[in-house]
């Protein structure tokens, strides 16, 4: 089949590469416009744009799919189907019916669970033990279209959202190609999503990633892992923001004083922080304006006073 691929970040690359290696023909790529990234805020093309251009595939970078010329470009490419993997923008209704097989989205959850922009992050924060990926036909509703294929994936106890998304992006790429193979053979019957079990996964904003130390240790642990690597969990120390990498819940030793929520206790090799239940052990931290470092190294530099706390 002739395929137009719509995707933007690195997580979309396994799917693009799998389609390029398949029997299907990628005739064009849609991706988000070049954006500023990195500490120098330089304008860079998206990972998908770089990969597509390296493969000699025509690329379009409209700010919106409603923009003038987008429909004409799609009609010129004449796709049988459009693939959508983390594209980052909505497909307007007037374009949905343009390819004969529609727009097929690879979504990283077991729909109807976690509809929305951040399904993997929400699955980790909720403590899900099983998740997965589905291919489904886009329609006007938010991730409500009929399902074409699905796979399951175990959420490991120490997974960050980055770890989980990396595995799903690879297994999901194979699912996407298998879906297109079956569509071409006419073997797929779209399956409506069940009306029960719906949950939403909106984008994680920076303020959502702020650690509330009054919450139980397991909730702090899940929040930090769910926000790693993006947008990054954070707290404040002496009035300045500090980014946290994954933490580890620990059992409080019998006879030791209980740490208050946010209270920091620094030893030679570890730094513990109080929560609403038992403490968590800090892993790596990134103070404002500095590089990532081990928590013990940070503590040796700032020398926390007895009873001193993160501000939350």
């Amino acid at each position: 089949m002739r395929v137009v691929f719509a995707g933007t970040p690195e997580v979309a690359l396994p799917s693009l590469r799998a389609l390029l290696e398949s029997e299907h023909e990628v005739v064009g790529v849609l991706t988000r416009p070049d954006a500023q990234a990195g500490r120098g805020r330089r304008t860079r093309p998206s990972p998908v744009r770089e990969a597509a251009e390296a493969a000699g595939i025509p690329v379009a970078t409209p700010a919106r799919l409603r923009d003038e010329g987008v429909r004409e470009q799609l009609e010129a490419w004449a796709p049988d189907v459009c693939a959508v993997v983390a594209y980052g923008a909505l497909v307007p209704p007037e374009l949905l019916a343009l390819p004969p097989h529609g727009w097929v989205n690879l979504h990283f959850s077991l729909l109807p669970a976690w509809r929305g922009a951040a399904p993997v992050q929400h699955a980790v924060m909720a403590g899900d033990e099983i998740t997965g990926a589905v291919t489904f036909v886009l329609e006007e509703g938010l991730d409500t279209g009929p399902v074409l294929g699905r796979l399951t994936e175990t959420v490991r106890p120490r997974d960050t959202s980055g770890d989980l998304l990396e595995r799903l992006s690879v297994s999901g790429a194979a699912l996407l190609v298998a879906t297109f193979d079956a569509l071409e053979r006419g073997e797929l019957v779209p399956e409506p999503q069940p009306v029960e079990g719906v949950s939403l996964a909106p984008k994680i904003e920076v303020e959502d990633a702020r650690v509330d130390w009054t919450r139980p240790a397991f909730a702090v642990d899940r929040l930090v892992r769910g926000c790693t690597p993006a947008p990054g969990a954070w707290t404040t120390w002496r009035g300045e923001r500090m980014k946290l990498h994954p933490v580890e819940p620990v059992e409080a030793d019998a006879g030791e004083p209980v740490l208050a929520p946010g209270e920091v206790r620094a030893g030679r090799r570890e730094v513990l922080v109080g929560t609403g239940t038992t403490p968590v052990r800090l892993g790596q931290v990134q103070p404002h304006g500095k590089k990532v470092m081990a928590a013990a190294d940070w503590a040796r530099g700032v020398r926390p006073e007895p009873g001193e706390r993160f501000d939350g």
Side-chain angles (χ1 to χ4, degrees):
M1 292 195 295
R2 291 173 61 85
V3 178
V4 165
F5 184 86
T8 299
E10 296 231 357
V11 70
L13 291 179
S15 290
L16 175 60
R17 289 170 178 151
L19 285 169
L20 290 171
E21 293 171 359
S22 75
E23 295 183 353
H24 305 289
E25 180 185 7
V26 180
V27 295
V29 165
L30 293 168
T31 189
R32 301 292 292 157
D34 298 355
Q36 292 181 333
R39 302 189 73 174
R41 309 305 297 167
R42 293 182 178 177
T43 300
R44 296 176 179 174
S46 76
V48 163
R49 177 175 181 172
E50 289 185 317
E53 290 180 341
I57 307 298
V59 175
T61 60
R64 301 186 313 158
L65 291 183
R66 295 180 186 276
D67 288 354
E68 184 178 353
V70 173
R71 184 182 183 90
E72 289 73 15
Q73 178 63 79
L74 284 170
E75 289 175 339
W77 282 335
D80 297 304
V81 65
C82 293
V84 184
V85 185
Y87 174 54
L90 296 176
V91 180
E94 60 268 25
L95 297 184
L96 290 177
L98 195 150
H101 291 290
W103 294 66
V104 174
N105 188 190
L106 173 62
H107 186 80
F108 299 115
S109 81
L110 295 175
L111 292 174
W114 303 128
R115 290 173 174 168
V120 175
Q121 292 90 333
H122 281 275
V124 172
M125 289 192 291
D128 289 358
E129 295 180 350
I130 298 293
T131 186
V134 303
T135 50
F136 72 97
V137 181
L138 276 185
E139 56 181 31
E140 290 189 46
L142 176 64
D143 299 335
T144 57
V147 171
L148 299 171
R150 66 176 64 228
L151 61 84
T152 58
E153 174 72 39
T154 300
V155 183
R156 298 170 185 169
R158 302 305 306 158
D159 267 344
T160 66
S161 61
D163 298 330
L164 184 55
L165 193 54
E166 183 176 356
R167 296 202 302 276
L168 287 172
S169 69
V170 174
S171 57
L175 174 66
L176 185 64
V177 172
T179 298
F180 286 179
D181 291 346
L183 269 179
E184 188 173 32
R185 295 193 299 267
E187 296 176 351
L188 278 184
V189 177
E191 179 181 313
Q193 295 184 31
V195 295
E196 297 180 344
V198 175
S199 52
L200 300 179
K203 179 182 177 182
I204 308 293
E205 303 292 350
V206 171
E207 190 58 34
D208 300 327
R210 184 172 186 163
V211 175
D212 178 356
W213 296 104
T214 67
R215 302 205 64 201
F218 76 85
V220 171
D221 168 42
R222 289 177 185 173
L223 174 77
V224 177
R225 286 188 291 111
C227 292
T228 301
W234 60 279
T235 186
T236 55
W237 175 255
R238 297 175 182 169
E240 290 194 330
R241 183 177 297 191
M242 189 167 86
K243 189 174 181 179
L244 301 176
H245 288 249
V247 301
E248 180 184 4
V250 296
E251 295 295 330
D253 292 339
E256 289 192 358
V258 176
L259 295 177
E263 182 179 351
V264 177
R265 189 178 67 188
R268 293 182 59 186
R269 297 183 178 179
E270 67 176 13
V271 179
L272 301 182
V273 184
T275 73
T277 55
T278 55
V280 295
R281 180 183 293 114
L282 296 187
Q284 291 183 312
V285 301
Q286 186 173 14
H288 179 70
K290 297 185 178 179
K291 297 181 179 179
V292 176
M293 63 182 73
D297 293 339
W298 163 77
R300 275 192 288 274
V302 299
R303 298 183 179 181
E305 298 289 338
E308 196 170 10
R309 304 183 188 187
F310 285 121
D311 302 321

